[in-house]
Amino acid sequence: MTKTIVPYLYVSMGGAVGSALRYGVDAWFGKTFTTSFPLGTLAVNVTSCFLMGFFAALAFTRDGWMSDEGRFLLMAGFCGGYSTLSALGLQTVSLVKVHQYGYALFNVLGTPVLCTLVLWGAYCLSSWLFALKANG
């Protein structure tokens, strides 16, 4: 096996786990909450952004703890498979089709803002924890 295929294997393994978990989380939210708002997609996107921010801080801070293989597996693979913003677009269109305009607007505008804020918070938290560990 050549080195060029190895990153794809890590991304594929992480993506398989992330995709399966995304399906499970979305299905659980769909069974647990009776609303036309896509709470499962929101939960998946927010938690994925948190994880991506946390992993990014581990990977990209000075003397980061995460190897290239870890980035391939967890960031590109797991987080990429876990969160699909294409579902956001599809569900927004579905909400518009059933005249749920308020939910559609919140879905398309609120989700990216919330996810960006959560990612930034997780990045700061992870950077702070990394600094504590390095100074501890």
Side-chain angles (χ1 to χ4, degrees):
M1 195 174 318
T2 66
K3 283 193 126 186
T4 57
I5 197 168
V6 172
Y8 294 97
L9 295 175
Y10 280 106
V11 170
S12 297
M13 289 186 297
V17 173
S19 295
L21 184 60
R22 186 225 182 316
Y23 176 80
V25 169
D26 193 48
W28 181 83
F29 269 88
K31 290 178 185 172
T32 305
F33 300 99
T34 55
T35 178
S36 59
F37 186 77
L39 286 174
T41 297
L42 177 64
V44 165
N45 288 332
V46 169
T47 56
S48 182
C49 285
F50 177 87
L51 291 171
M52 185 69 84
F54 195 85
F55 295 152
L58 292 179
F60 302 129
T61 55
R62 188 181 58 153
D63 300 315
W65 296 349
M66 190 176 294
S67 66
D68 286 344
E69 291 83 4
R71 284 188 306 109
F72 298 144
L73 179 71
L74 297 173
M75 294 173 73
F78 177 78
C79 288
Y82 180 54
S83 178
T84 58
L85 288 177
S86 59
L88 176 92
L90 178 62
Q91 290 173 336
T92 301
V93 168
S94 297
L95 289 168
V96 169
K97 287 174 65 177
V98 296
H99 309 287
Q100 295 286 328
Y101 303 115
Y103 282 160
L105 186 62
F106 179 75
N107 199 39
V108 77
L109 297 177
T111 298
V113 170
L114 181 59
C115 289
T116 300
L117 292 173
V118 168
L119 190 145
W120 178 251
Y123 186 91
C124 292
L125 174 65
S126 184
S127 297
W128 178 72
L129 291 173
F130 181 76
L132 282 180
K133 179 70 175 173
N135 295 327

